[in-house]
Amino acid sequence: MAELPSQQKDSRNTTLNRLKGTREAIQNPDAAILLKELASGELPAFDRTNLELLERAIKDGNKATILKGLHKGSGVLQGVGPKVVGILSVPKSMEIGQEYVDEAVTEATKEKAIEILDNIAINITVPDLPSYKFESEWLQWLNTLQEYVNKLVNDIEAWYKVAVEQKVNEKIQEFSAKAADVISTTSGDVIGWLAQFPAGVLGYLATSAFAGGTIGGTREWLRATGFQDISKAIEDSQRMIQEKKRNEDGSDPRLALIALHERIAKDPKLLGYRLNNREWVVFVAAVRSARVDLLREKTRVPEIIVSEEVLSGLERQKKIIDAFISAQTEIAEEDVTLAENILIQFESKISAESQPLITKQDEMLKIHKVMARYSRRIGRGALEGTGIPLLSRMASSFLRGTFTVFFKPHRILIPKRKK
Amino acid sequence: MNTQQDTKEFLHDYALLILKEAGLEENPEVASAVEERVAARMLLEMVNMLTPEEADKVKRSMEGDFNQEAVLRDIAKRIPDFNFKMAFALANVKQELVEDVAGLAKNLK
């Protein structure tokens, strides 16, 4: 017979292979599907690489050694894990809060998997690979391997539910204890009148301008820049917030502080004040506290609305809710504004102590545009970065009712507001 | 489920928890306002934790082609005890909101 041209030969081989594949599919459809998935790397629980690694693990008498080596790369467990509980894929996409899951779940799962593997009796004769992938011996081996992996998955799954519960509990305890430490070290008596600022401002100031509690030095600095006048207005406002003590003439010092800020901020020459950026942050933080306190008062005692007795019950309720939502929205905007003010003030490589207040309008506008557009997303992103949402989901999934407990310990640790 | 979805659901659950503790029946509009408060406060607290140099870096990133996720990752890594400080801030704003919502619930009676 004459030699077939090479193109025709390839075509014939392809046809033969297809026929062979079809025959196999008819004889053993499950195996054919398994092979197809293996070839395409789309097996649900593990890919081709992982199968090969598993095969090596089985061939090797010391499975634990090989599996330990797999931890560093994309090993078997990283492929099996997501199938087990659908949660191990989360840390891959969550770089910021990964430590929780790593510590609480992943490492423990890996260790347990090795233990389970070591305890599973394996009696598999591994064929010489790759002799021919449609050989029945190879198919049988794959079936056995599949059973083996399924057992591994089932055992890990059973253990995993218990482990997550236990580990999450441990993390919750650890988290609460650590939070208590942080609170006790950052909310100390740095400067009394800063107590009502957001925790972050307090932490920031404690580590920067007022570090070391050099209050005497701070006072000198206040006099030099003219901030002393402003600090008096801040103190009065804080006294009103904390003790409900008005000025001697009966006026509200919170409003006086807000008015002073309006006048200074709107004057290109800052009314002659030579404030530096730290002083400005303290100032705007105090103004924010004054505004927020006024807004919160509105939500607590909606006097005007309550006096409108002519309104029907439903109308009255709607008005009260609308006023509440409006005030809360304004408070949220105050928080974003303060964040803007803080960001605007700082430049690297310049001593923050001596740097004058930045009043460049174009710079402020740029930051404001980004904040207006992304503030909610950034705020949520900041929360994501803590890992708390993930942890709470894990806790609520595995420990019904723990979600509430998780945050309760903090409540008793927060310093009580002075009445 | 991705982390954004986690956060979205967490904030919603957190808002409902606050309403429940404050004795207010479920109210989607109030819950939404509460969620916004928490998100804004988290933003403020995070910014407040920055050193001047880090604040400058964030500021510059906002002036250019702002990549929110990259900036956040960078910030979170640089702030010592970030998770715990934010947890404290979260508990703090919760306390405030429970007080506020309790006032609302009282006024609605």
Side-chain angles (χ1 to χ4, degrees), chain B residues 45-107:
Chain B
E45 297 287 358
M46 182 188 66
V47 169
N48 286 339
M49 289 177 197
L50 303 174
T51 64
E53 290 76 18
E54 287 161 353
D56 174 61
K57 188 172 179 181
V58 174
K59 184 181 72 174
R60 285 179 194 282
S61 75
M62 287 184 170
E63 288 169 358
D65 185 15
F66 181 57
N67 182 337
Q68 174 214 348
E69 290 184 3
V71 172
L72 283 173
R73 271 199 298 274
D74 196 44
I75 292 172
K77 283 176 187 167
R78 285 161 176 263
I79 298 172
D81 291 322
F82 176 74
N83 301 353
F84 304 110
K85 287 174 183 170
M86 290 295 277
F88 174 46
L90 192 63
N92 219 346
V93 73
K94 180 187 169 192
Q95 188 189 36
E96 282 182 24
L97 282 164
V98 168
E99 282 177 20
D100 290 354
V101 178
L104 172 68
K106 190 179 167 187
N107 285 319

Side-chain angles (χ1 to χ4, degrees), chain A residues 94-96 99-100 175 178 182-183 198-201 204 288 296 299-300 302 316-317 320-321 324-325 328 331-332 335 338-339 342-344 346-348 363 367 370 374-386 388 390 392-393 403 410-411 414, chain B residues 1 3-4 6-7 10-11 13-14 17 21 27 29-30 33 36-37 39-48 50 52-53 55-56 58-59 62-63 66 68 72-73 76 81-88 90-92 95-97 99-101 104 107-108:
Chain A
M94 182 174 174
E95 293 178 26
I96 299 171
E99 61 190 277
Y100 286 108
F175 193 95
K178 189 75 185 290
V182 172
I183 291 162
V201 168
Y204 167 75
R288 175 243 176 223
R296 293 187 71 208
T299 69
R300 286 194 292 264
R316 179 181 167 277
Q317 285 204 346
I320 291 172
I321 289 172
F324 177 88
I325 291 170
Q328 292 296 327
I331 293 173
D335 285 353
L338 179 54
I342 291 169
L343 283 178
I344 288 165
F346 295 105
E347 287 187 10
S348 58
E363 199 164 306
I367 304 291
V370 173
Y374 295 109
S375 61
R376 290 175 191 173
R377 282 177 57 191
I378 301 174
R380 291 186 180 119
L383 193 57
E384 276 170 28
T386 65
I388 292 170
L390 176 66
S392 79
R393 181 161 69 82
F403 175 68
H410 302 294
R411 299 185 66 199
I414 297 167
Chain B
M1 190 184 291
T3 54
Q4 288 180 356
D6 281 341
T7 308
F10 171 80
L11 278 172
D13 289 345
Y14 203 54
L17 186 69
E21 278 197 26
N27 182 312
E29 287 178 325
V30 173
E36 295 306 316
R37 272 289 314 274
R41 184 62 167 269
M42 292 299 104
L43 163 71
L44 173 60
E45 297 287 358
M46 182 188 66
V47 169
N48 286 339
L50 303 174
E53 290 76 18
D56 174 61
V58 174
K59 184 181 72 174
M62 287 184 170
E63 288 169 358
F66 181 57
Q68 174 214 348
L72 283 173
R73 271 199 298 274
D81 291 322
F82 176 74
N83 301 353
F84 304 110
K85 287 174 183 170
M86 290 295 277
F88 174 46
L90 192 63
N92 219 346
Q95 188 189 36
E96 282 182 24
L97 282 164
E99 282 177 20
D100 290 354
V101 178
L104 172 68
N107 285 319
L108 288 175

